[in-house]
């Protein structure tokens, strides 16, 4: 089994922590994985779609932090919807590890490798679904 980890590096420190969690869970389960970095979360569905035939599953990692404009809602809603649509369309699991946070402190806490890393959880979800197939 082979998984592609697609990570948005807009918040580099956050995404690196999410990658550590995902990669660790892949190693524990003897899953081959590759990583592709993209500029932001909005670009993740494109890369997953482009690589749909090359992998058994995908892990989407990123972080969107609320600002002063409506941009947060647009990005969060559209990316999550497209990732769900892609998963159904290509019939492959996509672990959702895109943090949608009110502030940087929330993002740091949710990406911390020592306490509830959401990258680890996204990898677990993807691998659990792969094992169901």
């Amino acid at each position: 089994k082979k998984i592609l980890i697609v990570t948005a590096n807009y918040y580099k420190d956050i995404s690196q922590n999410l990658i550590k969690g995902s990669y660790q869970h892949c190693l524990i389960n003897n899953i081959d994985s590759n990583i592709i970095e993209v500029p932001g979360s909005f670009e993740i569905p494109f890369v997953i779609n482009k690589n749909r035939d090359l992998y058994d599953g995908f892990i989407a990692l990123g972080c969107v932090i609320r600002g002063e404009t409506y941009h947060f809602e647009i990005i969060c809603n559209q990316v999550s919807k497209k990732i769900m649509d892609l998963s159904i369309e290509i019939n492959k699991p996509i672990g959702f590890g895109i943090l949608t946070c009110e502030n940087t402190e929330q993002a740091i806490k949710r990406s911390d490798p020592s306490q509830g890393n959401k990258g680890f959880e996204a990898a677990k979800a993807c691998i659990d679904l792969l094992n169901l197939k």
Side-chain angles (χ1 to χ4, degrees):
K1 294 177 183 169
K2 194 171 181 181
I3 288 177
L4 178 62
I5 301 169
V6 183
T7 182
N9 61 10
Y10 190 83
Y11 296 102
K12 193 76 170 167
D13 293 344
I14 303 297
S15 62
Q16 288 303 310
N17 281 342
L18 293 171
I19 289 170
K20 286 177 190 172
S22 289
Y23 189 73
Q24 177 186 23
H25 196 68
C26 288
L27 284 176
I28 290 168
N29 288 277
N30 296 315
I31 300 286
D32 289 331
S33 62
N34 294 96
I35 299 168
I36 293 179
E37 291 187 5
V38 297
S41 295
F42 195 77
E43 292 77 29
I44 292 172
F46 174 82
V47 172
I48 291 173
N49 189 51
K50 183 178 177 186
N51 291 281
R52 68 197 293 166
D53 297 327
L54 303 175
Y55 294 89
D56 301 303
F58 301 88
I59 301 168
L61 302 176
C63 179
V64 184
I65 297 175
R66 185 181 300 278
E68 296 178 8
T69 67
Y70 189 63
H71 184 256
F72 175 85
E73 285 83 4
I74 292 170
I75 298 300
C76 295
N77 291 335
Q78 292 303 313
V79 171
S80 60
K81 180 176 180 351
K82 191 57 185 173
I83 287 174
M84 177 56 75
D85 291 347
L86 262 174
S87 181
I88 301 303
E89 179 185 325
I90 66 176
N91 198 32
K92 293 182 178 181
I94 303 173
F96 190 82
I98 300 175
L99 305 179
T100 54
C101 300
E102 294 293 324
N103 53 54
T104 304
E105 293 77 27
Q106 287 180 352
I108 291 169
K109 183 177 179 182
R110 286 162 177 76
S111 68
D112 187 335
S114 68
Q115 55 175 328
N117 181 286
K118 298 300 180 185
F120 186 94
E121 291 177 16
K124 181 177 182 341
C126 181
I127 293 167
D128 286 354
L129 291 174
L130 277 175
N131 290 333
L132 287 176
K133 288 182 93 173

